[in-house]
Each structure stands twice: as structure tokens, then as C-alpha cells.
Amino acid sequence: MFGAGGGTNSYREVEETDVILLWGSNARETHPIFFHHVLKAIHNGAKLFAIDPRRTSSARWADSWLGLDIGTDIVLANAVGREIIAAGLENREFIEHATTGFDAYRQAVEPFTLESAERETGVPAREIQAMAHAFAKADRAMICWTLGITEHHNAVDNVLSLINLALLTGHVGRYASGLNPLRGQNNVQGGGDMGALPDRLPGFQHIEVDSLREKFEVRWGRKIPAKRGWNLTQMFEAMEHGDLRTLYVIGENPVQSEADQSLTRHRLESLDCLIVQDIFLTATAQMADVVFPSAAGWCETDGTVTNSERRVQRVRKAIEPPDGARDDIAIVCELARRLGYDWVQPDSKSIWDEVRELSPMHAGMSYARLEAENGIQWPCYDDSHPGEMYLHSRLWERPIVGPPAAFHPVENETPIEKLTPEFPLRLTTGRRLDDYNTGVQSGGFSSPLRRGESLDISPEDARNLGVEEGEIVRVSSPRGAVEVSVRIDQGLRPGLTFMTPHFQDEVATNILTIDATDPKSGTAEFKAAAIRIERLGAK
């Protein structure tokens, strides 16, 4: 947040906060370890508000479930902000001391009355008001979110609307108060920290800032382009236009994880060369010209991993990889050697020491300290620094250290794909507890919870369509169709359906999803496709 891509708080603080807004996240199933900390908070007396179109298993633990319509998160957030201001509950001292842009924000949210928000979101005005007052009045409060906020064509604006609420109430930069995006994949935080972003070098140092880029150039002995690269969406668009001819995929399965599978396959097939480096022969690897079998990072290699609370921890090699598979470092170094650059073969510790040398926020994290202290949270600036438990305490210092935090007024945008008489139902997607993403990893072992793919629909829609539990139906969107069994879900409201990406070999859900993306982040709108359901007997 505010220039550093990480959650502001530690897991311990989650347990000791007073109010949690769990927004667009079924953490009980998708982040079960984190949700244990939420449960401790509830047992300690915290109030949980679950904001989600579905009444999920997480919502069952909540004091209040705000079941908003798909794509109305900004309407709801702006209405909460307006109500806080109207009730005089904003933290005026913090706003004047540590923020900019409040007047513009106040004007922007003024039209979002409780009554208009109820009409647009479907959430009762009294529920919106109760959440607004509870959040603003709490001594300590957190907003936690995941893909329900970010997998939209206006993902960044959705997040900004939540940040505005934290700034409005002063719930940031203090113990047990903050903003916490829950990371959706193992070490996705670490990947971003290490510069796996189109505009950042390790430590979130911007590539277009000369002084930051130049120290890497000196260390590496090579010039680095002074311009940000393409994000994932831009890369696939470049394939379409012929501007990207070779793709090197490491630990990713875009054929089955990108929206609009047919378009994704078409673009990958157009490449001159596709290289895949993975521990599994994924659907993407099966299309590749070259496949590099790699070692499993969690047990067959040495290194570090970073979790959602910014804690860097050691990973230790426990077993040798199978014959023919190599550590990712070894593969990349050998490829460099074949291209004429002898990098020797560094070990994980020497690479980490180079990270510490170049990234100030990792400087104090020696392997010895990581071992002795069971991990350290970044930023950790030197060998005596304990690591920051929570971020942005500078906003409370007098005088303020660094720039103030800015309000960003945002307007709501409805989903790109509108419902029509031909496609009258809304499909949203997500994960379940027993499976993971495209199922490449979790599908390799049995689970007593696994029940395969289903189209989850409301009891009302099942009655209207005349379909029964377990019946096979055809689900169509403007991009294609799949056949899948019906599951009736009491947690869904009429007009809303749900599927997962977990069983793509049997039911390719991403044939249905739309390739509409957020221009600021490149995130696809997995949460809002338009579909219709047909009984197979009605062919």
C-alpha cells in the first residue's frame, strides 16, 4: 500500500483488532490459515463484516453479511465513506495531518446516500450504516480483501475505494489497524518483492527512477531499459499484434488460468517459440516447443519465501529432485551460459546477499537472522532492525515523515458484460477449500472433500429453470459453452451463479469468462461474465 505492495499488518494484529471488514474474500476456504487468526479475533470479541455477493462459509462467522450485487463495491465503499462523514465520525485530526485530497473525496461521495446505495448494491441501508459506524468508531479496525475486489475491469479503483475508508478513519499506520490484501498463491508476495513486476526492481524500486536503476546496472554490469515492461495482459495483446514472438513461462499455466481460453490458445499458438519451466506437464507445457523440468521450490531447493504479513522465511532443501529435474537457479544459469554469459552457478545464499545489498528493505535479513528468528517482516533496514510489524507509522509522526497519503475519489463502473435476454444470469468464479487454481497441484491427490466441478445456482433459479441437483446442463457465454452438473447453493441469490477453475480438464470454466481487463493493473474480470443455462433434454 502507498507505494509498497504488501499488507500493512501482522497476523498477530489481526487477532487483536476490534472490527474486520472481509471484503470480496471467502478466506475460510481460500485462505484458511489466515482465517484462523480471524477466528481468534472473533473469539476475542471482534466484529466481522463479510462483504460478498455470496453467503460464503466465511460469512457464517460474521456479525453481518452484506450481500452486494456483482460490480457494486465502489458504490458500497463510497456510501460507507459518505455515511461516516455525514455522522461526523471521520478522523479529522488524522485527515488534516497526514492526507491530501479530502475535500475532493467528500464531494465525490456526496451522491452516494444510503438509500441510493441500497438500490444499486442490494444491501439494506441499515446494514451499510451499521458497518460504517462500527468501522469508524472502533479503536482498531482492518480491511482485508482478495480477488473478489481485484478480478474486475476496475480493480485498482476498487482497491482505492477501500484505502479511502482507512484514510478517512485513521485506520492505518497503527497497531491492529490497516489494509491487508490476502495473497492468493504461495510466495506471490515474494515474487513481487523480488521484482517480478513490469515496473519494479527488487524491493519495489521503480525502474524508471534513474538513481534506483543505476545501482543495479553497476552491480550487474549491464544497462537496464529505463522504461517499464508489459504486464501479463499487455504481453498477450502483444502476441495478438505480432509484437511478442517468444514467451518463457515459469511456474504458470495460462492456458487454463487466463480468461477466455480459446483466445489464449490462439495467441500462444501464434508464437515462434514457447518455453515452459515447471514441475508438471501442464496444459501450457503440452503446447511448448521446449519444456524445462524444474525442482519443487518448497522441498527440493534452498531459498526464501514471503507470506501475506511480509514475513520472509527460509526454505530448506529436504530431498533431491527427480532425475532430469533441476533447480530453477540451475536452469536459468545454464540458459545464460548457452547464450554466452557465464554466471557461474550461484547458491541461494549468495543470491540473497545480493538482494540485501540492493534492496534497502531487505538489508538486515541475513540467513543467520532468518534462521534464528523464524523469519522477519520487511522492511528490515540493518542487522539490528527488528523488522516492521505494521507499516506507515510515519503518518502519525509529527512532523509527518515523507509525503502524506492521498485520497483518490473513484466512480463506480458496472461490469463490462451486461446481462441480456440471451445471457440473463451472472457467473462469478472463485476457489474452494479442497482444491487450488487450475488443479494441476491439488488434482494429483485425493481429498474426501472433492466433488468435482459444478455450476452452483440459487434454489429460486433452479425452480425457474426446472433443473435438479446433479443434473447435467449446458452453460453458455458469448465465448463458448461447457457441460456441467448443477449444485443448488442456499448461499446464492437469484440471478447469481458460481463456478471454479479447479477441474479445467473436465470443465474448462475459463472458456466462459471474459477477457476484459483493468487498464491500470491488467487484471481480468473473472468475477462478472454473462451466461445462460440450458437443459440438455431441451436440445
Side-chain angles (χ1 to χ4, degrees):
M1 299 299 100
F2 313 118
T8 62
N9 299 91
S10 65
Y11 293 160
R12 171 184 163 186
E13 293 169 77
V14 175
E15 300 172 10
E16 299 182 17
T17 195
D18 300 318
V19 170
I20 300 173
L21 307 189
L22 189 62
W23 206 307
S25 172
N26 183 14
R28 175 67 185 87
E29 296 193 34
T30 60
H31 296 84
I33 302 302
F34 174 82
F35 199 74
H36 282 296
H37 299 284
V38 174
L39 290 176
K40 289 183 179 180
I42 294 170
H43 293 154
N44 289 334
K47 288 187 175 181
L48 174 65
F49 292 86
I51 304 97
D52 199 296
R54 300 187 296 139
R55 189 188 289 270
T56 64
S57 58
S58 299
R60 296 172 193 164
W61 294 90
D63 292 80
S64 180
W65 168 58
L66 285 73
L68 76 172
D69 291 337
I70 294 284
T72 61
D73 299 277
I74 289 174
V75 174
L76 181 58
N78 282 355
V80 170
R82 183 192 184 279
E83 174 60 22
I84 290 171
I85 295 169
L89 298 175
E90 74 274 19
N91 190 324
R92 178 64 63 169
E93 180 182 2
F94 177 80
I95 291 169
E96 293 176 352
H97 170 68
T99 74
T100 60
F102 171 69
D103 288 340
Y105 172 72
R106 179 175 55 193
Q107 294 173 16
V109 300
E110 179 57 31
F112 293 85
T113 64
L114 294 174
E115 294 72 24
S116 67
E118 178 174 335
R119 288 193 300 271
E120 292 192 53
T121 67
V123 179
R126 65 181 181 278
E127 299 290 345
I128 302 174
Q129 184 180 53
M131 183 175 75
H133 284 238
F135 182 70
K137 292 177 180 177
D139 290 333
R140 301 170 172 178
M142 291 186 180
I143 306 177
C144 305
W145 69 89
T146 51
L147 302 181
I149 282 291
T150 57
E151 286 188 339
H152 291 272
H153 76 282
N154 56 345
V156 171
D157 285 351
N158 282 344
V159 173
L160 290 174
S161 74
L162 303 186
I163 294 174
N164 288 336
L165 296 181
L167 296 180
L168 185 63
T169 55
H171 285 316
V172 67
R174 295 188 294 121
Y175 184 85
S177 284
L179 295 148
N180 294 287
L182 310 180
R183 296 313 197 180
Q185 301 183 42
N186 178 44
N187 204 33
V188 70
Q189 181 68 57
D193 296 351
M194 293 302 105
L197 298 166
D199 61 347
R200 303 291 166 138
L201 291 158
F204 296 103
Q205 298 174 91
H206 206 292
I207 200 167
E208 295 177 353
V209 176
D210 292 346
S211 60
L212 298 178
R213 186 183 64 258
E214 286 167 359
K215 66 179 179 180
F216 286 88
E217 293 177 334
V218 171
R219 181 64 174 81
W220 294 345
R222 292 290 184 275
K223 295 294 292 183
I224 301 172
K227 182 179 178 181
R228 70 181 64 199
W230 290 322
N231 62 35
L232 184 61
T233 296
Q234 293 166 330
M235 291 168 69
F236 274 90
E237 290 172 350
M239 294 179 211
E240 184 75 19
H241 302 141
D243 296 326
L244 179 62
R245 307 303 310 154
T246 296
L247 186 68
Y248 188 176
V249 180
I250 303 177
E252 187 75 11
N253 184 21
V255 168
Q256 295 184 325
S257 63
E258 288 299 291
D260 195 342
Q261 182 177 128
S262 299
L263 180 59
T264 299
R265 282 187 176 274
H266 163 72
R267 288 170 169 174
L268 292 175
E269 288 168 350
S270 72
L271 293 169
D272 294 334
C273 181
L274 173 61
I275 305 164
V276 172
Q277 185 169 313
D278 210 306
I279 62 175
F280 295 105
L281 190 66
T282 65
T284 306
Q286 292 173 32
M287 295 181 63
D289 298 286
V290 178
V291 176
F292 295 141
S294 59
W298 65 276
C299 64
E300 296 171 351
T301 68
D302 286 307
T304 62
V305 64
T306 310
N307 67 6
S308 288
E309 65 167 357
R310 296 171 283 106
R311 185 174 300 280
V312 180
Q313 300 171 83
R314 284 278 287 113
V315 176
R316 300 160 190 83
K317 183 175 181 178
I319 58 175
E320 292 295 325
D323 290 343
R326 300 191 193 182
D327 188 307
D328 289 308
I329 296 172
I331 295 172
V332 171
C333 288
E334 178 62 17
L335 182 60
R337 190 183 68 80
R338 300 288 184 95
L339 293 172
Y341 298 93
D342 187 4
W343 291 354
V344 189
Q345 182 165 329
D347 57 77
S348 63
K349 182 179 181 300
S350 64
I351 292 175
W352 182 249
D353 286 340
E354 182 178 310
V355 170
R356 294 172 58 217
E357 175 188 336
L358 295 170
S359 169
M361 71 185 213
H362 294 99
M365 298 184 182
S366 67
Y367 261 24
R369 283 194 69 194
L370 292 176
E371 293 273 7
E373 300 177 34
N374 293 317
I376 302 171
Q377 289 175 270
W378 63 252
C380 176
Y381 298 111
D382 56 53
D383 291 337
S384 62
H385 193 284
E388 297 284 355
M389 179 176 285
Y390 56 91
L391 299 181
H392 312 308
S393 60
R394 66 176 185 82
L395 295 173
W396 293 90
E397 296 185 27
R398 294 185 179 276
I400 187 174
V401 177
F407 281 92
H408 287 85
V410 289
E411 290 292 329
N412 189 60
E413 296 181 8
T414 57
I416 293 292
E417 192 159 78
K418 312 305 179 189
L419 301 182
T420 66
E422 185 179 4
F423 299 101
L425 300 172
R426 182 64 73 194
L427 171 67
T428 194
T429 62
R431 298 205 298 256
R432 295 201 298 253
L433 176 63
D434 50 307
D435 289 285
Y436 182 72
N437 283 6
T438 61
V440 173
Q441 298 177 67
S442 56
F445 59 89
S446 61
S447 166
L449 301 176
R450 184 169 297 130
R451 54 180 173 78
E453 191 53 81
S454 63
L455 172 72
D456 295 0
I457 65 175
S458 71
E460 295 88 346
D461 286 334
R463 286 195 296 270
N464 292 338
L465 292 166
V467 299
E468 299 179 354
E469 181 93 11
E471 181 176 345
I472 305 298
V473 297
R474 178 182 296 107
V475 183
S476 303
S477 79
R479 288 154 297 283
V482 299
E483 294 183 2
V484 62
S485 66
V486 167
R487 177 178 176 270
I488 298 174
D489 184 349
Q490 301 289 338
L492 291 173
R493 293 171 298 144
L496 180 62
T497 69
F498 176 80
M499 293 178 70
T500 81
H502 299 325
F503 304 94
Q504 295 280 49
D505 291 337
E506 293 79 33
V507 181
T509 301
N510 70 333
I511 285 177
L512 304 173
T513 49
I514 182 173
D515 189 37
T517 54
D518 176 23
K520 297 177 182 177
S521 67
T523 307
E525 192 157 64
F526 283 99
K527 302 303 184 188
I531 64 164
R532 68 169 178 265
I533 301 171
E534 301 168 277
R535 299 188 70 193
L536 293 181
K539 290 190 211 181

